[in-house]
Amino acid sequence: MFRTDRGRRSTAEADVPEVDGTPIGRRTILGLIALAGAGVVGGKAVQDGLAKVLAPIELRDPTGLISLIPLGDSFRFYSVTGAVPTKDSGTYRLAVDGMVTHTASYTLADLQAMPQTGLVRDFQCITGWHVPQVHWSGVRLSTLLDRAAPTGGATAVRFRSFDGTYTENLTLEQARLDDVIVALQMLGGPITHDHGGPVRMYVAPMYGYKSTKWLSGIELTANVESGYWEHRGYPVDGFINPSRGEGA
Amino acid sequence: MTGTVRRFAKVTRAVHWTVALLMISCIGTAAILYNASFAVAIGHRHLVELIHVYSGFALPVPILLGAISAAYRLDLRRLNRFTPGDRRWLFSRSRRDGSIKVGKFNAGQKLNAALSGGAIAALLGTGLIMYFPSLTRLSWRTGATFVHDWFALAVGLLVMGHIYYAVKDPEALRGMRAGRVSASWARAEHAAWADEVPGSQQDVEQGPGPLI
């Protein structure tokens, strides 16, 4: 390096003693790239370990500082529109319509009066973050579908959100899976507005984008229509484990 | 009264400020994407994400394009090379008293440049993995998210430190803004560099000099 540098050195560089040092800058850059590469491959294990150690401390941390550490095991809040209206037990309605024999409009109380199914599953985003062991409960989507009695031509379910923009879909077969619920509770309480409450979908075997927040409508359709993120490149088939959902 | 000396050429300054703008765009949008209350209040996730991702993709462009300028390439070479004096400076408690003659960049500036460069590369790579989920398996995407979060936190602190030192030293800031600094500042903060630069030493004899 030295010899070639000297050979090529122009007059401007001739009196620059500084460039004779060790190339620590380049080594630092390469070192950080290598560290990042190792983190991509092994980061999940490190993160799971860190989360296990820090979670109990975080619960008793009066300063709240530990919650600022990016452990990567907490929810990130996605909203695709501007302000989303807030709905409560008085104003919330869930429509079931489209290719059905019986359309319906459920209040929150109606849904709460139906049989509830509890699930404890990891919430997994397609970009990589996940939240381990989240408690969910709500009404199986299949219960609502049975009540609606889809007509012969219906093969898919389309979900609408009262954010006015978001849509998602499942095939009718996927929609009838046991671990696909219209969720009323998560993390041990009613679903908060930021988490998509009071009612959202939770499609356990699929990536998070399949679980529509601020659920306002369930529509039976003849074909699967691409949803919001699917128009923007995500796969229509959202199974985390392609052979079926995890934990099925 | 002392004269001024040229510190940064146009291209170097253009690269610095373009990178600064893109970095601020990345950090601002990152805060919206990451922080729960911002994320829900501002929403429009896809748009925010596009701004973030394309600011990030653009970050290396000015850094690489700058290489058309010989002055910029020399600045990079100086930043890259650490001398034994740099090591002494970095670990000295009295590093600011001028007893260790500093070149055009002190060891802290060199370290900031190297860490920023490495972090930009790491964030770009992990960002690509997160933005194109079909490229890799899920466990790598989880790893990439983990790396991206930690590097982002580190870069945030680095940028804050960088701005703190710049604001604390208006003459250093002027060098990056206008390209020139006072000869007296150059002699006090970057004595070895001042020795190389014609004009900075003569001022001592030529000017009336400060009242000492």
Side-chain angles (χ1 to χ4, degrees):
Chain A
M1 232 21 231
F2 264 121
R3 260 164 291 141
T4 49
D5 274 2
R6 288 230 166 104
R8 286 188 290 128
R9 204 169 274 177
S10 67
T11 46
E13 296 171 27
D15 357 295
V16 181
E18 230 179 337
V19 299
D20 286 348
T22 324
I24 305 267
R26 187 192 312 154
R27 288 177 197 169
T28 305
I29 291 176
L30 294 176
L32 287 176
I33 292 172
L35 183 69
V40 168
V41 177
K44 183 172 157 40
V46 175
Q47 181 182 43
D48 292 349
L50 262 181
K52 216 165 273 170
V53 173
L54 287 177
I57 304 172
E58 187 177 338
L59 280 177
R60 281 175 223 104
D61 172 25
T63 61
L65 288 177
I66 290 179
S67 64
L68 294 177
I69 300 174
L71 290 174
D73 64 342
S74 55
F75 275 96
R76 295 159 202 220
F77 295 83
Y78 288 20
S79 165
V80 299
T81 59
V84 178
T86 307
K87 304 247 177 179
D88 57 23
S89 55
T91 53
Y92 181 78
R93 294 290 181 279
L94 174 62
V96 181
D97 51 30
M99 301 173 71
V100 295
T101 318
H102 314 290
T103 61
S105 172
Y106 296 108
T107 65
L108 195 54
D110 293 338
L111 294 169
Q112 282 161 344
M114 294 180 192
Q116 304 290 304
T117 298
L119 292 171
V120 180
R121 293 289 180 80
D122 295 355
F123 187 88
Q124 178 68 59
C125 176
I126 189 168
T127 62
W129 63 269
H130 77 295
V131 185
Q133 302 295 293
V134 182
H135 290 249
W136 299 86
S137 85
V139 181
R140 275 200 183 121
L141 180 56
S142 61
T143 307
L144 298 182
L145 294 177
D146 289 345
R147 289 182 176 220
T151 58
T155 68
V157 179
R158 181 176 170 80
F159 303 95
R160 296 190 301 263
S161 167
F162 61 80
D163 74 1
T165 302
Y166 202 84
T167 56
E168 250 312 323
N169 60 73
L170 293 173
T171 66
L172 193 50
E173 192 189 354
Q174 292 164 351
R176 287 191 185 281
L177 291 172
D178 277 352
D179 49 1
V180 175
I181 63 173
V182 173
L184 309 179
Q185 299 224 324
M186 74 184 274
L187 303 165
I191 299 177
T192 61
H193 176 77
D194 288 358
H195 277 299
V199 178
R200 67 172 293 169
M201 285 304 302
Y202 179 55
V203 183
M206 298 198 178
Y207 288 119
Y209 68 91
K210 297 300 277 192
S211 294
T212 306
K213 290 168 80 172
W214 302 297
L215 183 70
S216 66
I218 296 169
E219 181 183 345
L220 278 289
T221 56
N223 296 298
V224 170
E225 296 165 36
S226 289
Y228 181 86
W229 288 112
E230 290 149 14
H231 279 298
R232 291 160 180 80
Y234 287 170
V236 173
D237 180 349
F239 279 120
I240 299 167
N241 178 349
S243 66
R244 155 60 173 106
E246 53 167 13
Chain B
M1 206 20 232
T2 60
T4 60
V5 291
R6 184 174 170 75
R7 181 152 171 82
F8 291 119
K10 250 196 191 118
V11 170
T12 304
R13 284 179 283 146
V15 170
H16 174 273
W17 291 110
T18 318
V19 168
L21 268 181
L22 292 170
M23 191 59 107
I24 287 166
S25 166
C26 280
I27 291 174
T29 47
I32 299 170
L33 294 172
Y34 193 79
N35 178 282
S37 19
F38 291 154
V40 176
I42 293 164
H44 298 102
R45 189 170 189 91
H46 186 61
L47 176 66
V48 177
E49 194 180 277
L50 281 179
I51 298 171
H52 181 77
V53 163
Y54 282 92
S55 299
F57 290 165
L59 256 180
V61 175
I63 298 174
L64 298 176
L65 277 185
I68 54 162
S69 148
Y72 172 82
R73 289 200 305 273
L74 181 57
D75 282 339
L76 282 192
R77 195 168 305 165
R78 288 173 188 268
L79 285 168
N80 180 25
R81 300 280 171 164
F82 283 62
T83 62
D86 285 327
R87 215 153 303 174
R88 282 204 310 280
W89 187 91
L90 211 52
F91 295 107
S92 155
R93 280 171 183 272
S94 54
R95 61 176 79 92
R96 297 282 177 182
D97 69 3
S99 59
I100 302 170
K101 280 187 132 192
V102 170
K104 185 167 186 180
F105 301 106
N106 66 42
Q109 292 168 320
K110 292 180 184 183
L111 215 50
N112 177 63
L115 292 173
S116 302
I120 286 171
L123 287 164
L124 183 69
T126 51
L128 283 168
I129 291 174
M130 291 155 73
Y131 194 60
F132 298 106
S134 56
L135 289 181
T136 53
R137 68 187 76 170
L138 178 58
S139 75
W140 285 26
R141 277 175 269 152
T142 302
T145 305
F146 178 70
V147 171
H148 203 83
D149 286 357
W150 281 96
F151 269 86
L153 182 72
V155 158
L157 294 174
L158 202 62
V159 168
M160 270 162 57
H162 178 68
I163 293 173
Y164 169 78
Y165 281 111
V167 168
K168 222 173 65 166
D169 188 344
E171 198 59 21
L173 189 55
R174 188 160 82 112
M176 190 47 88
R177 215 185 55 237
R180 300 188 74 84
V181 291
S182 73
S184 58
W185 180 87
R187 281 194 304 274
E189 297 290 334
H190 299 275
W193 173 62
D195 289 346
E196 300 170 19
V197 180
S200 61
Q201 303 95 328
Q202 291 96 310
D203 291 331
V204 184
E205 289 97 46
Q206 283 170 358
L211 295 173
I212 298 173

